[in-house]
Amino acid sequence: MLNTITAPTTPLFDTPPMFAHPARVTAIKDEAYATATYEIEFEDDDLKQHYAFRAGQFNMVYLPNIGEVPISLSSDPAKTGVMGHTIRYAGNVTRAISRLRVGDTVGIRGPYGTAWPLERIHGNDVCIVTGGIGLAPLRPVIYHIINNRSDYGRVYLLYGARTPIDMLYTEQFEDWEAHGIEIHQTVDRADESWKGHVGVVPMMFYHLRLNPKKTTVLTCGPEIMIHFVIFEALARRIPKEQIYVSMERNMKCGIGLCGHCQFGPTFVCKEGPVFAYAAIEPFFGVEDF
Amino acid sequence: MSPETALETFQELAFTRDMDPAVLEHLAALAFEVNFAEGQWIFRETDVGELVYLIKEGKVALSISVPGQGRKTILTLGPGQILGWSSLFPTGRKTASARTVTPTKAFAFNAAQLREAMDENRDLGCALLWAIADVIAGRLKATRLQLLDIFAPSEMS
């Protein structure tokens, strides 16, 4: 087993693995340009009550006659009955999702994949570093930390976006800060009306004084951003064993059968998407991997 | 501000905290404190600046005026980061404009005095050059990433 962390894929129900369960869109909230959060509930009450996921996992979201996409869960794992998916409209399926309205039906199978190691890092400081829509799979981490605040030390969120209007969940930041999460926002470009930081998100490490022995870094975003985040974390003597990344690959089946998401000797959908950096270091950043 | 107070602050700021105490003492003797109100220009691009700053508190935006597009902020700097280092090098001409985003306190150094001190005290010179090289390398790295425009909308699914 390549990965060294957390839960394997959780078989949801006693049904064939590719079976998508009908679920209804119950709310849609615009988050940023071409990005919205969909709240979805299973139509079957039994499924609705028993579905559970862990921060970092994803569902396969299916639209009949169009296709299926893997989408990270972005809602509170402690909240049962409703699944939140923050979706950026970028391809055929997600553009079709953008035409859904409240009350429409989709197919859901999941949850799949590994989770962030939130129990393993009890007592640690946590540095969450993310950019763009990469905050979506990390928002459940923030909910979990807030729900279990005394289990963690200092918590930092370093969040980057292209421009100020591309930032997700900004209306929640005040509440997160009230729960002791230190937020450093930055954008790649802005006009003079922006009073926050300008610069790429790995540069936000320069504003922190971390204790490398007790800091865990959790990062998700464009792979090239992750490279730079790891570089900065290692430069601050944070051991590679304390760095976790969520990888994005072209996932199709979600259960490690089709091979589309192969990453080195592993399948991202099954042994990821969350990996301990130490486990993938040999082939992380290797060209064409 | 006394050199002792400056020394204590240097021991906390990222740019200086790993330097040898003797080097910091020398730096503290050269520093003087400056305060800027919110929205105040510290210098403008093409100015020939005489001062180099180490930010103690606050936030400063570096910007470049692009003909036809207005002023673009390219980077913001905060506590523990240096500002205006181009004054240390020949011509001393500023390559960007600096304006405070929030009220800002900084240590200022006269660039000519600092160069002289770096020549006379090789420990100081070596420590500062390494620290400045690290800053320049970091900003180069960040600029490369910024150029990639990694959060641009994608047409891929």
Side-chain angles (χ1 to χ4, degrees), chain B residues 26-27 30 50 52 87-89 109-126 128-129 132:
Chain B
H26 197 159
L27 264 185
L30 296 169
E50 294 176 350
V52 180
S87 293
L88 281 172
F89 296 95
F109 303 88
N110 179 283
Q113 274 184 9
L114 196 56
R115 271 197 306 268
E116 201 177 305
M118 289 166 74
D119 283 339
E120 286 172 4
N121 177 348
R122 291 305 168 116
D123 287 344
L124 173 71
C126 193
L128 271 184
L129 282 177
I132 291 169

Side-chain angles (χ1 to χ4, degrees), chain A residues 23 89 92 94 149 154 177 192 194 210 223 247 263 272:
Chain A
Y89 313 133
N92 289 340
T94 52
R149 191 64 189 87
R154 299 186 71 166
E177 284 176 323
E192 288 191 290
W194 169 248
L210 301 170
E223 201 164 317
M247 297 292 295
F263 176 51

Side-chain angles (χ1 to χ4, degrees), chain A residues 68-88:
Chain A
E68 195 179 40
V69 280
I71 305 284
S72 298
L73 285 137
S74 62
S75 50
D76 184 348
K79 198 172 163 187
T80 56
V82 63
M83 301 166 282
H85 287 293
T86 301
I87 298 172
R88 186 173 59 187

Side-chain angles (χ1 to χ4, degrees), chain A residues 93-106:
Chain A
V93 180
T94 52
R95 272 195 282 269
I97 289 173
S98 76
R99 294 190 286 274
L100 293 176
R101 297 290 171 260
V102 170
D104 286 346
T105 300
V106 297

Side-chain angles (χ1 to χ4, degrees), chain A residues 153-220:
Chain A
R154 299 186 71 166
V155 180
Y156 307 92
L157 169 61
L158 312 185
Y159 181 42
R162 193 176 193 225
T163 72
I165 62 167
D166 295 315
M167 291 199 144
L168 302 180
Y169 315 136
T170 49
E171 78 286 353
Q172 292 185 276
F173 286 4
E174 197 177 319
D175 180 56
W176 294 354
E177 284 176 323
H179 286 89
I181 294 173
E182 189 178 315
I183 302 176
H184 296 262
Q185 308 169 57
T186 186
V187 295
D188 286 357
R189 54 191 70 185
D191 61 24
E192 288 191 290
S193 64
W194 169 248
K195 300 298 180 195
H197 283 288
V198 176
V200 293
V201 68
M203 289 284 279
M204 291 294 99
F205 273 103
Y206 287 73
H207 299 288
L208 308 182
R209 193 165 188 179
L210 301 170
N211 177 346
K213 286 184 183 163
K214 62 172 296 201
T215 298
T216 298
V217 173
L218 309 178
T219 183
C220 178

Side-chain angles (χ1 to χ4, degrees), chain B residues 63-151:
Chain B
S63 63
I64 292 177
S65 178
V66 184
Q69 294 181 40
R71 183 162 291 282
K72 304 286 184 191
T73 302
I74 49 171
L75 184 66
T76 48
L77 301 173
Q81 294 184 292
I82 62 162
L83 170 69
W85 53 263
S86 50
S87 293
L88 281 172
F89 296 95
T91 81
R93 201 170 287 278
K94 302 295 188 187
T95 54
S97 299
R99 191 182 195 186
T100 58
V101 180
T102 61
T104 297
K105 290 182 178 179
F107 294 107
F109 303 88
N110 179 283
Q113 274 184 9
L114 196 56
R115 271 197 306 268
E116 201 177 305
M118 289 166 74
D119 283 339
E120 286 172 4
N121 177 348
R122 291 305 168 116
D123 287 344
L124 173 71
C126 193
L128 271 184
L129 282 177
W130 272 114
I132 291 169
D134 190 48
V135 168
I136 296 171
R139 292 191 194 169
L140 176 62
K141 233 177 352 178
T143 303
R144 286 174 177 165
L145 192 53
Q146 215 162 4
L147 282 172
L148 293 175
D149 197 12
I150 57 174
F151 300 125

